[in-house]
Amino acid sequence: MPQSSFVRRIAAQEYFGPLVALLIIVAFVALTTPNFLEPQNFRNIALQVSILSIVAIGSTIVIITGGIDLSPGSMIAFLSMCLAVFIKNQGLDLWLAIPLTLLIGCGLGVVNGILVAYVGIPAFIVTLAGLSAFKGLALTLNGGTPAFSLSPQLGEIFYGTFLGLPLPFFYVIGAYFLFTIIMEHTRLGREIYAVGGNESAARLSGINVAKVRLIAFLFAGLCAAIGAVLLSARLNSGSPNYGSLIELQAIAAAVVGGASLAGGRGRVISTLIGALIIVVVQNGLNLNAVTTSMQSLTIGLIILIAVGLDVWRARIGSALGGFFTKQPAGS
């Protein structure tokens, strides 16, 4: 039957499981939290998910290559201070300050990529060092103090409305549309999946593995820079304290969305669903006055469960693969 075939195709999609989980969580929070379904709360969720979901795109791409990026939070702190210094101290126009900030974000990603891909230092070590180093750089700008009242135009550019919808909605849709095309419909996207799936095979097939890894970290730096600009525009300020723990939430969004920490698997659109799950859970905890420490514990448990499911899924897949490959030998 065509209809049953359509349902099977939908159920076979990688995002189907996370989407079902999201719907269950939304229903549970809506039933247990009186204010959850208010329009203003949905606006808050949209604003919260916009920054996390864009940063999570970069984390997802790095994870698909088989790497990990622990530095986006500190990048956001440093880049928000860069934007603040450009506007407040240097007096640069927004249309120059914003591209410069994005360019610096790409540069930070390239530094990570060079150290991982060409120097050969493990991504975990490089980005863990970056987490500390970028935070230190953020504290050196403006004497380590936040800069407020950057420009009213920032809010107008990034947090106005269009067709009755908040502008971040369009930025998120645009970013996911662009990176979905790159990952699923370009040669570069296929090479990123190939490197994460089997690096040796990718190298033998002529793929420049180091270049692909470098580009993945460049994308991660660009996404962190976009997140820094959005956060600075939302709060009209820059601060060395911005972006704290967002790297863990971004990794959680990617893994909850179905990306494998072993590399080679994951979809950008599924990461958006993972980010929505994280934000809806946080929103429900906030509305129920759960403490920040308990929220951090909850996010940690979500990461643990998602990674556990990933390991479980890989072992089951390996066992089934072994079973099916043994059948012809025994026959």
Side-chain angles (χ1 to χ4, degrees):
M1 293 290 289
Q3 288 184 344
S4 62
S5 176
F6 174 75
V7 172
R8 281 198 297 271
R9 283 202 302 273
I10 294 295
Q13 295 296 318
E14 194 171 293
Y15 58 76
F16 181 75
L19 182 61
V20 171
L22 173 63
L23 294 175
I24 292 172
I25 291 171
V26 168
F28 178 78
V29 176
L31 289 173
T32 57
T33 310
N35 299 328
F36 179 75
L37 294 178
E38 291 184 0
Q40 181 58 40
N41 189 49
F42 281 120
R43 178 177 172 79
N44 290 337
I45 290 175
L47 293 177
Q48 289 171 0
V49 84
S50 61
I51 296 171
L52 171 60
S53 60
I54 287 178
V55 175
I57 291 175
S59 297
T60 301
I61 296 173
V62 172
I63 287 173
I64 291 174
T65 65
I68 193 83
D69 188 358
L70 301 176
S71 63
S74 295
M75 275 193 196
I76 286 175
F78 174 59
L79 293 167
S80 76
M81 290 301 296
C82 287
L83 183 64
V85 167
F86 288 149
I87 297 173
K88 294 280 288 188
N89 298 5
Q90 304 298 322
L92 296 184
D93 186 84
L94 289 182
W95 299 109
L96 181 58
I98 292 171
L100 275 176
T101 302
L102 298 180
L103 200 60
I104 293 173
C106 292
L108 297 180
V110 168
V111 170
N112 278 344
I114 289 174
L115 292 174
V116 172
Y118 291 97
V119 179
I121 304 173
F124 178 84
I125 302 298
V126 169
T127 57
L128 184 62
L131 184 150
S132 178
F134 300 145
K135 188 76 170 181
L137 288 173
L139 289 168
T140 62
L141 294 177
N142 205 42
T145 58
F148 300 103
S149 303
L150 300 184
S151 168
Q153 285 182 296
L154 268 176
E156 296 171 6
I157 294 172
F158 293 101
Y159 287 94
T161 59
F162 181 69
L163 298 175
L165 295 171
L167 286 178
F169 171 81
F170 296 98
Y171 297 141
V172 170
I173 296 299
Y176 273 82
F177 181 73
L178 173 64
F179 279 99
T180 295
I181 290 177
I182 291 174
M183 293 299 292
E184 300 186 13
H185 301 285
T186 68
R187 178 178 178 180
L188 173 61
R190 291 190 291 274
E191 290 180 345
I192 288 174
Y193 280 104
V195 168
N198 189 323
E199 182 178 331
S200 298
R203 188 172 283 107
L204 289 172
S205 64
I207 294 175
N208 188 332
V209 173
K211 179 181 174 183
V212 169
R213 289 194 189 282
L214 176 64
I215 293 174
F217 277 100
L218 186 154
F219 284 157
L222 174 62
C223 290
I226 295 172
V229 172
L230 285 175
L231 185 58
S232 297
R234 181 181 172 188
L235 302 175
N236 198 22
S237 60
S239 170
N241 295 320
Y242 286 169
S244 177
L245 296 181
I246 199 171
E247 59 276 348
L248 294 182
Q249 296 177 4
I251 292 170
V255 176
V256 169
S260 172
L261 290 175
R265 189 164 56 81
R267 291 186 67 189
V268 170
I269 189 64
S270 299
T271 295
L272 177 58
I273 299 174
L276 278 167
I277 290 175
I278 301 292
V279 170
V280 168
V281 170
Q282 283 184 320
N283 182 261
L285 294 174
N286 274 327
L287 292 177
N288 285 288
V290 176
T291 62
T292 304
S293 57
M294 287 303 296
Q295 291 185 35
S296 297
L297 175 63
T298 304
I299 297 301
L301 288 174
I302 290 175
I303 296 173
L304 189 63
I305 292 171
V307 173
L309 288 174
D310 179 46
V311 172
W312 174 79
R313 184 169 47 196
R315 288 179 178 174
I316 293 294
S318 177
L320 290 177
F323 173 78
F324 286 118
T325 53
K326 287 176 182 177
Q327 294 307 302
S331 62

